[in-house]
Amino acid sequence: MNSNTLLLPVLVASTLAALFAACLLGSTPMPADRVLMAFLGTGDTADQLVIWQIRLPRALAAFLTGAALGISGAALQGLLRNPLAEPGVLGVSASASLAATFSLYYGLAAISIWVLPVAAILGALAATALIALAAIQTRSVVTLILIGVGLSSFAGAAMSLLMNLAPNPFSLSDMINWMLGSVANRSFQEVGLAIPFIASGAAILLFTRRGLSALTLGEEAASGVGLNLRNQRIWTVLGAGLATGGSVALAGAIGFVGIVAPHMIRPFTGHDPARSLIPSALLAGLILVVADIGVRLLPTSNELKLGVVAALIGAPAFVWIAMRRRTVND
Amino acid sequence: MTELVTTSLTAKAGDATLVEGAELRLAPGELVALLGPNGAGKTSLLRAALGLVKPDSGNATLGGTESTRLSPMQRARQIAYLPQLRPLAWPNTVRDVVALGRFAYGAAPGRLSKEDAAAIDRAITICDLAGLSHRRTDTLSGGELARVHCARAFAAEAPLLIADEPVAALDPRHQFRVMDMVRQFVDRGGGALVVLHDIPLAARYASRLVWMKEGRIIADGPPAETLTEQRMADVYGVKARIGGLNIEIEGAI
């Protein structure tokens, strides 16, 4: 019981520490006193520039992306009653990033700064809705995950096609960014564009989280205890679609954090999907902030993409969770 | 007084008629056993009566209101429904699962009012789960798990209870324990409808037997009147010897 009450404070404190560390560390490390002065707006102007224009927005972007994926993953796992459900695995992230790439490719993104995030969100919602529809048809979660694999592959193929046809190396490198996932060079403007979507998605998921606990009993029994199944599906799909779409608009497709974070959180929250949402969001955000610090510090000739690092850590974890899973209900 | 009443209720799935013209009544103070072979339409009747599927004709009312018009929460406060058991998705603690029985009152396992907590404690005591309340459900035996589901249904403190094969796959002792709990629920003023495949168990506990065959209710009355050798042959296709409430099933016809 004790570990449960400590969970949130520990996560919040570690997240703040990680965000602060992200401001300290970098190609030129900055001592803590200079960072603090820059935060207060009293330090050296160059320091202020580095903190406010480069390091802090980037760290916040990493945190928001992770938080959105963590809460979406935890909610989708509750809805589908399977620990392997996640925006990345279900093809939601890939579809969102395909839609974003599409808007870039056809120059639609130049019309308004809102086009790209909205495209990403529409892509995410289309994929989530398709999966929710399939979830009504089939009881088998394995089928759903296979549908997700199909969606991912299709989105990947369509993206390769766009890259294949890319008119110039610049658009090619833009697309690669969306495909691999990165928070490099993010500004507060981009963070600000993604926040409304991530926040509204997260709010929807939090308001409707009670139903996710009821779904533990299975769908029939959940409606027996008073859950409106149809509304629960719609809200969870909408919330996860908005949050995931917002995260993709900000950082491109980043996979597996949405699985790993809730999996680590569940034992501390009594395996209750509703109580896992907020801690999963915090932990997933924390993981990406730390991973992004790693990305920036690793002395590689080309900076590694955050999405690549996340997948390198997350994919083995996915396999491990899948292998340890006892075959229960599918 | 909350009653569940169906009037010439018919439910179809595509071309197949699952339930036809069913007249069923469940009131507080009685323990009704719903009997019939596999595929007779027992579960479909329950689902249509509860408003989980829309009846094709006829209607079902719960406390005077048509059950398809009730919101899931309103319905759950009047009738607790235990469907055929499915595995739980997550290894929650026993107490958290029982707490889900309070969902219709706005409760969640992490957010319980005083009344919710009190109702959960009562249900846990009734079902003799006090020693297990912090155990994870994936460490329980089948009999213990069946008691957890009963406790979740009792935690709702609804006047009526519908249980679909609550004793399936339980050993004889646990079958009796679960049926004792249902009978105590009825003694406290509740009304229970239980789907059973064990005819002797049904005859022993039920105040009324409802017999279904091929989607129709073909008999409805106290065990002493409706439990006959002829009926066992008609409904189940078995040869049985009946003396009072003792039944000896000798084999298939």
Side-chain angles (χ1 to χ4, degrees):
Chain A
M1 288 296 116
N2 219 354
S3 57
N4 302 8
T5 45
L6 276 176
L7 181 65
L8 270 184
V10 166
L11 281 174
V12 170
S14 334
T15 303
L16 291 176
L19 286 173
F20 189 66
C23 293
L24 294 179
L25 303 165
S27 47
T28 47
M30 209 184 276
D33 55 327
R34 275 167 63 193
V35 172
L36 279 176
M37 270 164 53
F39 266 134
L40 299 170
T42 53
D44 188 74
T45 32
D47 285 359
Q48 287 191 36
L49 206 69
V50 168
I51 297 300
W52 287 100
Q53 304 290 324
I54 302 172
R55 290 186 186 174
L56 189 59
R58 177 173 181 158
L60 279 179
F63 176 74
L64 282 172
T65 305
L69 293 171
I71 199 166
S72 304
L76 288 172
Q77 286 159 25
L79 181 73
L80 301 175
R81 304 189 300 286
N82 189 297
L84 298 176
E86 188 247 4
V89 172
L90 294 176
V92 180
S93 308
S95 307
S97 93
L98 172 65
T101 317
F102 206 76
S103 75
L104 278 176
Y105 184 81
Y106 283 103
L108 301 173
I111 300 170
S112 153
I113 48 169
W114 292 99
V115 168
L116 187 101
V118 168
I121 280 142
L122 289 180
L125 284 178
T128 347
L130 190 73
I131 285 160
L133 277 180
I136 300 172
Q137 305 279 327
T138 170
R139 284 185 181 271
S140 154
V141 181
V142 175
T143 312
L144 291 183
I145 289 175
L146 290 176
I147 291 172
V149 170
L151 272 180
S152 279
S153 314
F154 176 76
M159 206 109 85
S160 310
L161 179 69
L162 289 181
M163 286 166 67
N164 203 179
L165 302 174
N168 56 56
F170 298 107
S171 45
L172 189 63
S173 94
D174 247 359
M175 289 178 199
I176 288 178
N177 267 333
W178 287 105
M179 233 173 123
L180 301 184
S182 162
V183 286
N185 308 321
R186 292 300 182 273
S187 70
F188 274 121
Q189 194 204 10
E190 283 147 325
V191 171
L193 280 177
I195 279 182
F197 299 104
I198 294 178
S200 52
I204 290 174
L205 294 177
L206 288 175
F207 272 116
T208 57
R209 63 183 155 164
R210 208 165 67 89
L212 299 177
S213 309
L215 276 169
T216 302
L217 300 172
E219 294 188 346
E220 180 91 352
S223 49
V225 298
L227 176 70
N228 187 326
L229 256 184
R230 196 179 54 104
N231 291 0
Q232 184 68 41
R233 279 205 192 100
I234 293 173
W235 287 119
T236 306
V237 162
L238 189 65
L242 281 171
T244 306
S247 85
V248 171
L250 187 55
I254 292 179
F256 300 107
V257 258
I259 286 184
V260 175
H263 184 77
M264 290 165 72
I265 290 296
R266 265 193 293 272
F268 296 97
T269 57
H271 295 265
D272 177 18
R275 274 177 284 180
S276 301
L277 292 190
I278 291 175
S280 298
L282 287 171
L283 180 62
L286 175 64
I287 290 174
L288 282 198
V289 173
V290 172
D292 191 51
I293 294 175
V295 162
R296 288 192 293 140
L297 291 184
L298 279 179
T300 45
S301 53
N302 280 333
E303 189 181 282
L304 293 179
K305 299 290 180 205
L306 182 57
V308 175
V309 176
L312 282 176
I313 305 166
F318 173 82
V319 173
W320 187 69
I321 295 168
M323 284 178 68
R324 278 189 15 144
R325 195 169 143 66
R326 278 176 276 167
T327 44
V328 209
N329 46 1
D330 37 39
Chain B
M1 197 157 83
T2 308
E3 285 191 11
L4 177 72
V5 181
T6 74
T7 322
S8 55
L9 189 72
T10 298
K12 296 178 181 174
D15 290 336
T17 304
L18 304 175
V19 181
E20 198 170 359
E23 308 269 343
L24 180 73
R25 173 184 287 268
L26 173 66
E30 56 178 355
L31 201 171
V32 181
L34 182 58
L35 306 175
N38 295 328
K42 303 181 296 294
T43 301
S44 305
L45 170 59
L46 299 182
R47 302 194 75 225
L50 287 164
L52 294 173
V53 290
K54 226 178 148 50
D56 288 86
S57 66
N59 68 33
T61 60
L62 183 57
T65 314
E66 217 169 304
S67 49
T68 45
R69 288 172 178 272
L70 292 169
S71 76
M73 299 244 267
Q74 288 171 324
R75 183 183 60 226
R77 274 181 239 156
Q78 301 190 50
I79 190 159
Y81 173 43
L82 273 184
Q84 288 177 26
L85 295 187
R86 302 221 178 275
L88 293 162
W90 310 104
N92 306 103
T93 63
V94 168
R95 197 183 156 81
D96 279 358
V97 174
V98 177
L100 291 175
R102 299 297 293 175
F103 187 85
Y105 300 87
R111 201 180 65 211
L112 299 171
S113 72
K114 258 200 199 120
E115 296 93 82
D116 293 329
I120 293 162
D121 288 336
R122 279 194 293 274
I124 284 179
T125 315
I126 290 169
C127 297
D128 195 16
L129 290 167
L132 300 175
S133 67
H134 292 291
R135 278 269 292 278
R136 279 170 46 156
T137 48
D138 61 345
T139 64
L140 300 179
S141 71
E144 289 165 336
L145 204 55
R147 267 150 59 205
V148 171
H149 282 284
C150 286
R152 144 173 105 61
F154 293 146
E157 302 195 331
L160 299 178
L161 166 73
I162 284 187
D164 198 348
E165 296 190 27
V167 300
L170 295 186
D171 62 45
R173 179 165 171 271
H174 272 101
Q175 294 194 357
F176 281 112
R177 284 190 81 175
V178 167
M179 288 309 294
D180 282 340
M181 287 172 203
V182 174
R183 179 139 78 188
Q184 284 159 17
F185 169 77
V186 172
D187 291 343
R188 290 194 301 273
L193 177 69
V194 184
V195 175
L196 292 174
H197 277 305
D198 187 328
I199 317 295
L201 197 69
R204 177 183 296 267
Y205 280 94
S207 50
R208 190 149 62 82
L209 302 180
V210 175
W211 299 78
M212 275 192 92
K213 188 189 177 187
E214 291 165 4
R216 293 171 167 278
I217 294 178
I218 57 164
D220 182 345
E225 288 171 25
T226 56
L227 178 59
T228 60
E229 290 172 7
Q230 185 58 41
R231 183 146 292 125
M232 288 298 286
D234 283 352
V235 173
Y236 288 100
V238 292
K239 187 167 165 46
R241 228 185 330 192
I242 294 169
L245 292 182
N246 289 323
I247 304 155
E248 201 181 320
I249 296 173
E250 292 175 336
I253 294 172

